[in-house]
Amino acid sequence: MTMADLLSELTLAEKAALCLGSTFWHTAPVPRLGIPAVMLSDGPHGLRRQPDGNQAGISGSLPATCFPTASALGSSWDPELVRRIGAAIGVEARAQGVGVVLGPGVNIKRSPLCGRNFEYFSEDPLLTGTLGEAHVTGVQSQGVGACVKHFAANNQETDRLRVSADVDERTLREIYLPHFERVVTRARPWLVMCAYNRINGTHASEHGWLLTDVLRTEWGFDGVVVSDWGAVHDRVAALAAGLDLEMPPNLGVSDAALVAAVRDGTLDENLLDRAVLRILRLVDRVPAADPPPAPDDPTSGFDVDVHHALARTAAADCAVLLKNEAELLPLHPSAGDVIAVIGEFARTPRYQGAGSSQVNPTRLDVALEELRAAVPAGVHVPFAAGFGVQTTDQDHQLAAEAVALAARADTVVVFLGLPGAAESEGADRPHIALPDNQTALLPRLAAVNPNLVVVLANGSAVRLSDWDAHARAILETWLSGQAAGGATADLLLGTVEPAGRLAETLPLRLEDTPAYLNFPGEDGHVRYGEGIFVGYRGYDATGRDVSYPFGHGLSYTTFDYRDLTATVTGRVEDGDLAVVVSCTVVNTGRRPGKEVIQLYVGAPQSQVARPIRELKGFVKVDLAPGTAEPVTLTLSARDLSYWSTGQRRWVLQAGPFDIWVGRSSRDLRLSATIEIDAPPVTVRLDAEATLREWLADPAGADVLRRVVGVDASGRPRGVLGDQEAMTVLGDFPLRTLTAFPGLGIDRTVLAALLDRVETRG
């Protein structure tokens, strides 16, 4: 017998109780029927299991491996790496008695100001969805449930429990929902977490279109929808909309409301039963809990060293080499050389963000110590703080010490970044600049030593344009977890190759960002006025320069792209259209390296506004020097389509499509153009269709001309024979034109038109 078989034995009160937790971190048990509680825990990039299962605080969690945050993992462009990390988190969850891990977070980086961007992968839905799918697959491979979040359009922290994200359906379908769809339909997460915010006026927790129509009916989700902690405002309305589990529980209130609603008939008990059944199936899915961790050794259930090694590998794979003039990196120090390390972050690591994802690491690498341990004998690695991290004010003594040290060094490595308070759940950033005391120091260092390397630690995009000219090399390490220090030493010395590519555009100015005029909104509303033109889609559409484009990342080796082919197979009408894109990538350098091949698609003759190009495929390959690898990526009809708000479906327009393959959205090495044959895109011909829409449809134009007729000279009557009137009135619906005399379209003509069109249909 399964837990789901017990539904009929539950009382109404027990069913209501199961639809909310019993503690801050547990579902409700039903002891008399042997239904156990399931423990949930935060954990997008590492487990945050509280020792007390009813503890609401952020600190004091059991030790766990702090892997790179999603902001870093997004730059890996490596789903297999993300899957391995998900599996490791699953192992640690099992070891600590956790049945569900609350992650990954897959919200789109609409603006670099979002305070929680360090928890999210990318500004692009394909990259986000691919990595989110891998994370869920990894976690659930260990018999632990993953909970993808926050559904949906949760793209800011300002007023996050009340603000309404006012966004049109096309933008939702093309930007803010596809990654959720991919994760749900391919990885089958056990849970989906609703967002705090409202969408077009309705709270996500009460949004029946999202939680039921889209999530369950369209995508086939069969798991549990859980609230974000505190996202439920009306428990009865939320359950009716499709929200199964309220967390944390509003005990004595929410359960009582459900019971009362069933008894007075305002809530169909069948809806309650469906929610309970999903929760019982979740209980069935979670294996019997492993023995709890020993209080004196909470990490005894997993291999701390193996997981730390994975974290170090991942941190290196996520780092993005933004700039490397004269191949300053990797460093090749020899005995007697001096590598000056400057910046407090070199000895006080910034490796994760603040808020509910904060992990208590099993250990912590310090970059300064790791670099000193890794350099050859006789190489000196002195340190100067240069600035403080608790203030943006300049400390002239610290700065002077740093400048003096730089002047006598062969190379200067400066560790810059955002202080912890600058990036946190619950607050958006006011700007994208680094602290003044850091940027003011760089020109002084460069003036005494041009061999200057900057290592960045930050969870979201920062402005580089006011200081990057002073650095010959820039290594973006993001917030890369507990092993970031060791990985940074490996990267600086060339023990490993920088393999990351930007998952978000780095703008020249905040004012250039597509959402700038519509973030974070006012009076309880934020208007997504940029529509589908988020991130690189917006920068490309407006032709704006950026500091570093989406997909950018240098290597210690070089790559060549050759022999692009793009072949169309199948037919749209038969449902098997595919575009097979192939090329060959060659490592032309002297070192091994990883390359991310990025496939972009554009529709230059689209009848609707579309981005110049969109990422539609990618793959990461590892190549030895001198070796070549053929790469093939396949596009579907969906990849070439746009969402039609008029027809409420995906539409593929016939015509040319541009295909690009390259190293970033603006470093496109190969291109081709294909022709797609597809049925014409038509609108519904009714009384609300415009004159121009009727004439654009071959069948509609024929019927219209026949019904309106011609005069004695053979010229079309009324408006059809008057080009000037056609220009002025072309966008008028036919129903409106029936009131205009002399146009040849009265109510009788309109009725005849509709009758003939219906007959033909």
Side-chain angles (χ1 to χ4, degrees):
M1 174 181 281
T2 66
M3 295 296 167
D5 296 324
L6 299 175
L7 176 64
S8 61
E9 299 184 36
L10 292 165
T11 66
L12 176 59
E14 289 169 338
K15 287 191 283 189
L18 281 168
C19 290
L20 49 152
S22 59
T23 73
F24 200 81
W25 294 113
H26 290 88
T27 64
V30 182
R32 76 175 185 87
L33 295 176
I35 299 173
V38 173
M39 186 174 191
L40 302 88
S41 173
D42 284 318
H45 55 269
L47 206 61
R48 193 177 73 85
R49 200 268 204 199
Q50 297 291 354
D52 176 357
N54 199 28
Q55 182 176 347
I58 298 298
S59 61
S61 60
L62 299 181
T65 307
C66 182
F67 291 100
T69 62
S71 64
L73 289 176
S75 288
S76 76
W77 292 62
D78 189 341
E80 174 56 23
L81 174 67
V82 176
R83 186 202 63 77
R84 291 171 60 199
I85 289 173
I89 292 173
V91 167
E92 296 190 17
R94 285 292 301 274
Q96 296 190 4
V98 171
V100 172
V101 174
L102 302 177
V106 297
N107 294 100
I108 294 295
K109 298 185 180 185
R110 177 177 177 245
S111 168
L113 295 179
C114 177
R116 211 168 177 179
N117 272 357
F118 63 87
E119 284 192 55
Y120 305 141
F121 291 112
S122 176
E123 68 188 24
D124 182 81
L126 174 64
L127 181 55
T128 295
T130 302
L131 300 182
E133 173 192 352
H135 183 102
V136 170
T137 300
V139 171
Q140 294 188 170
S141 70
Q142 303 304 308
V144 173
C147 178
V148 63
K149 60 185 186 179
H150 309 86
F151 191 59
N154 182 183
N155 310 107
Q156 66 185 62
E157 295 299 284
T158 301
D159 200 20
R160 60 177 174 158
L161 272 78
R162 301 182 304 178
V163 71
S164 175
D166 297 339
V167 50
D168 65 272
E169 187 177 359
R170 182 182 174 200
T171 299
L172 281 171
R173 294 285 190 172
E174 294 190 19
I175 301 296
Y176 297 104
L177 294 183
H179 43 294
F180 282 103
E181 179 182 5
R182 185 184 185 100
V183 175
V184 166
T185 58
R186 298 190 182 206
R188 314 301 301 180
W190 294 1
L191 297 91
V192 169
M193 180 187 290
C194 82
Y196 281 130
N197 53 284
R198 292 179 291 156
I199 299 96
N200 296 322
T202 302
H203 276 106
S205 61
E206 300 170 19
H207 211 297
W209 180 78
L210 271 178
L211 303 186
T212 296
D213 296 349
V214 173
L215 181 61
R216 296 198 187 278
T217 304
E218 292 187 27
W219 300 347
F221 178 64
D222 62 356
V224 169
V225 175
V226 61
S227 71
D228 202 343
W229 267 231
V232 173
H233 304 271
D234 181 327
R235 187 65 190 98
V236 175
L239 190 135
L243 187 129
D244 305 309
L245 179 61
E246 175 190 347
M247 294 296 290
N250 193 358
L251 295 171
V253 177
S254 290
D255 45 351
L258 291 174
V259 169
V262 170
R263 286 176 174 165
D264 67 20
T266 56
L267 177 66
D268 186 342
E269 190 168 0
N270 288 327
L271 292 178
L272 178 62
D273 287 349
R274 289 180 193 176
V276 172
L277 189 60
R278 293 175 191 131
I279 292 166
L280 292 176
R281 286 172 179 161
L282 173 65
V283 175
D284 276 329
R285 281 173 155 171
V286 176
D290 292 341
D296 59 342
D297 189 10
T299 63
S300 59
F302 61 93
D303 193 321
V304 172
D305 294 336
V306 168
H307 285 192
H308 184 79
L310 175 59
R312 184 165 179 158
T313 296
D317 213 47
C318 298
V320 182
L321 183 60
L322 297 175
K323 180 179 182 180
N324 195 21
E325 291 181 356
E327 297 185 353
L328 181 57
L329 292 179
L331 303 176
H332 300 285
S334 56
D337 287 349
V338 176
I339 302 174
V341 174
I342 294 171
E344 185 60 41
F345 292 116
R347 67 177 179 183
T348 307
R350 174 90 202 288
Y351 60 97
Q352 65 176 327
S356 62
S357 67
Q358 195 164 299
V359 178
N360 179 14
T362 58
R363 67 179 65 167
L364 185 59
D365 288 353
V366 176
L368 178 61
E369 297 172 1
E370 296 290 333
L371 188 59
R372 283 173 170 169
V375 296
V379 175
H380 305 288
V381 187
F383 170 78
F387 55 84
V389 295
Q390 301 303 322
T391 177
T392 61
D393 296 333
Q394 296 185 48
D395 187 312
H396 297 291
Q397 181 177 347
L398 290 179
E401 292 171 355
V403 172
L405 176 58
R408 63 181 179 86
D410 295 285
T411 305
V412 180
V413 180
V414 188
F415 285 75
L416 305 180
L418 293 174
E423 297 178 288
S424 174
E425 177 181 352
D428 291 322
R429 299 159 62 197
H431 56 73
I432 60 172
L434 289 175
D436 292 341
N437 58 355
Q438 298 182 34
T439 56
L441 179 61
L442 280 182
R444 297 180 62 186
L445 297 175
V448 299
N449 193 327
N451 294 325
L452 193 149
V453 178
V454 169
V455 177
L456 287 170
N458 47 284
S460 187
V462 296
R463 189 177 72 219
L464 295 86
S465 56
D466 55 342
W467 57 263
D468 69 344
H470 302 296
R472 286 192 173 176
I474 304 174
L475 183 65
E476 172 63 86
T477 67
W478 307 107
L479 300 181
S480 281
Q482 66 182 52
T488 300
D490 294 338
L491 290 160
L492 292 173
L493 297 174
T495 305
V496 297
E497 307 292 307
R501 303 292 184 268
L502 289 177
E504 59 187 300
T505 306
L506 301 184
L508 288 170
R509 310 178 307 155
L510 176 62
E511 293 84 351
D512 294 334
T513 58
Y516 176 70
L517 294 176
N518 295 287
F519 186 96
E522 57 191 15
D523 295 331
H525 291 266
V526 54
R527 187 172 68 88
Y528 283 44
E530 70 281 2
I532 61 173
F533 296 98
V534 176
Y536 69 91
R537 291 167 168 82
Y539 295 108
D540 288 349
T542 56
R544 286 184 173 161
D545 291 334
V546 300
S547 286
Y548 297 97
F550 174 81
H552 170 76
L554 304 177
S555 175
Y556 292 156
T557 188
T558 55
F559 300 95
D560 189 24
Y561 287 63
R562 303 170 184 170
D563 307 325
L564 176 67
T565 62
T567 305
V568 181
T569 65
R571 292 173 6 111
V572 175
E573 296 89 337
D574 297 334
D576 61 352
L577 178 80
V579 180
V580 181
V581 180
S582 299
C583 70
T584 299
V585 181
V586 185
N587 183 343
T588 56
R590 300 185 301 273
R591 298 175 61 102
K594 295 179 180 180
E595 178 67 326
V596 178
I597 298 91
Q598 303 166 39
L599 171 61
Y600 294 87
V601 175
Q605 296 183 15
S606 174
Q607 64 188 21
V608 299
R610 297 187 71 171
I612 293 175
R613 64 185 63 89
E614 298 180 90
L615 182 73
K616 293 298 180 181
F618 66 91
V619 64
K620 193 169 191 175
V621 298
D622 193 349
L623 295 173
T627 60
E629 181 160 334
V631 170
T632 297
L633 295 164
T634 301
L635 302 171
S636 67
R638 168 74 177 268
D639 294 322
L640 306 178
S641 301
Y642 67 91
W643 180 265
S644 169
T645 53
Q647 301 193 35
R648 299 293 305 280
R649 65 181 180 89
W650 293 98
V651 169
L652 176 54
Q653 178 187 340
F657 284 81
D658 294 328
I659 305 292
W660 294 277
V661 173
R663 303 195 73 245
S664 79
S665 63
R666 294 193 176 179
D667 183 1
L668 304 166
R669 302 297 180 88
L670 302 172
S671 65
T673 299
I674 58 173
E675 285 287 336
I676 296 296
D677 185 23
V681 180
T682 60
V683 300
R684 176 179 172 80
L685 296 180
D686 56 18
E688 297 305 317
T690 66
L691 176 61
R692 188 168 285 117
E693 289 170 339
W694 274 84
L695 291 173
D697 185 290
D702 179 63
V703 170
L704 181 60
R705 290 190 176 98
R706 287 177 181 273
V707 172
V708 173
V710 296
D711 60 21
S713 66
R715 180 179 178 178
R717 286 196 176 99
V719 68
L720 298 185
D722 186 339
Q723 187 58 49
E724 182 178 6
M726 290 267 288
T727 300
V728 173
L729 302 174
D731 286 333
F732 279 53
L734 292 197
R735 186 190 304 279
T736 302
L737 293 181
T738 61
F740 286 55
L743 298 183
I745 303 176
D746 56 22
R747 288 191 294 273
T748 301
V749 169
L750 178 58
L753 284 171
L754 298 178
D755 181 65
R756 292 198 185 187
V757 169
E758 184 177 344
T759 301
R760 284 193 175 198

